[in-house]
Amino acid sequence: MVRILWPALVLTVGAGMARAELNSLFPRADASPETATRASLFAPDARMGFFAPLPDRIAPTSVAPIIVAPIIGTGTAAVDRLLSLIARAEAGSAGYDAVQHGARVRPVRLPTQMTLGEIYQWIDDTPGQPHAIGRYQFIPPTLRRVANVRGFGPDTPFTAGVQDALALVLLEDAGLSQFKASALGRRQFMHNLARIWAGLPLPNGRSYYEGYAGNSATMSWVAFSGGMERIWPVGG
């Protein structure tokens, strides 16, 4: 697998645990967490029991922990623009501080001001409600899995850079490296993305998880395919 090396977030490793050292480049005022108005959630891992089993989920690829993580996903690089396109479907204007609107008991602080351990504690303390959180609306089993892949422990701040690093694991699950190497077609890559992020549409305009746990596509296929073509022009 090709390692993706980005300069803006450096992790130090100690006692077997990597610790993120970058805070958001765009700090927010101290306030209650914003609420994501979207119904979409990350497709859950059926083995964790968060939802009932789902059919035909793509199997995660093996991704080794990477020592450097990506820059904030609001830049102009192709992967940053893809992250922003996904975030548009998942979190809307709430961005990195989004909390799924169905959560009756929300975190007491903005998600970007919490550590992963504090988020896990909030999840454990508030059973029976949705817990999708952050710019990419991570649900608990997904959050724990990708944090483990990255080597992020409970003391890791849930900053913008950390959220982007976690989302990159899922982009690789969808076949990002294969797509960039022309070993995976655009349409199949988009289909794979829609199987991970429920807010993204299939060609029929519906979510892969349409109607499941309140999920629906939050952008049109035209917007999704047009956004992808602007990022990676056909023949470019």
Side-chain angles (χ1 to χ4, degrees):
M1 184 190 72
V2 177
R3 288 179 180 270
I4 303 174
L5 301 182
W6 302 80
L9 175 62
V10 180
L11 307 180
T12 58
V13 180
M17 182 179 299
R19 191 173 191 278
E21 294 186 342
L22 179 70
N23 290 321
S24 172
L25 298 181
F26 308 99
R28 299 175 182 273
D30 193 12
S32 298
E34 291 188 75
T35 301
T37 57
R38 307 293 196 263
S40 59
L41 303 171
F42 265 125
D45 185 335
R47 295 169 300 174
M48 303 298 291
F50 187 79
F51 290 130
L54 293 170
D56 301 323
R57 285 203 64 223
I58 55 177
T61 56
S62 177
V63 182
I66 300 175
I67 296 178
V68 267
I71 60 175
I72 301 301
T74 51
T76 57
V79 171
D80 292 320
R81 294 169 66 193
L82 176 57
L83 289 175
S84 292
L85 182 65
I86 292 167
R88 177 177 151 198
E90 290 294 317
S93 62
Y96 293 102
D97 285 317
V99 177
Q100 212 275 334
H101 74 281
R104 298 179 305 279
V105 180
R106 300 185 176 91
V108 296
R109 294 199 307 279
L110 293 170
T112 54
Q113 295 175 0
M114 301 173 72
T115 65
L116 286 174
E118 289 170 335
I119 292 172
Y120 298 153
Q121 190 64 54
W122 166 67
I123 291 167
D124 292 342
D125 290 345
T126 57
Q129 67 170 19
H131 293 103
I133 193 167
R135 193 182 195 224
Y136 310 102
Q137 290 291 275
F138 299 98
I139 64 169
T142 301
L143 180 59
R144 288 187 169 98
R145 178 176 74 82
V146 295
N148 183 64
V149 168
R150 281 292 190 180
F152 291 163
D155 292 335
T156 302
F158 194 56
T159 61
V162 164
Q163 292 183 44
D164 291 342
L166 297 175
L168 256 187
V169 177
L170 293 162
L171 291 186
E172 286 299 321
D173 287 350
L176 175 64
S177 292
Q178 295 94 319
F179 170 68
K180 292 172 68 177
S182 301
L184 180 69
R186 177 191 303 273
R187 195 178 183 92
Q188 184 59 55
F189 180 49
M190 292 171 67
H191 183 83
N192 291 351
L193 290 172
R195 291 172 70 179
I196 294 175
W197 281 282
L200 296 174
L202 297 172
N204 64 7
R206 294 164 64 86
S207 170
Y208 187 83
Y209 304 95
E210 189 73 30
Y212 190 91
N215 285 307
S216 63
T218 59
M219 70 169 53
S220 68
W221 175 257
V222 170
F224 185 25
S225 59
M228 287 291 291
E229 186 164 344
R230 284 189 292 274
I231 297 168
W232 285 285
V234 175

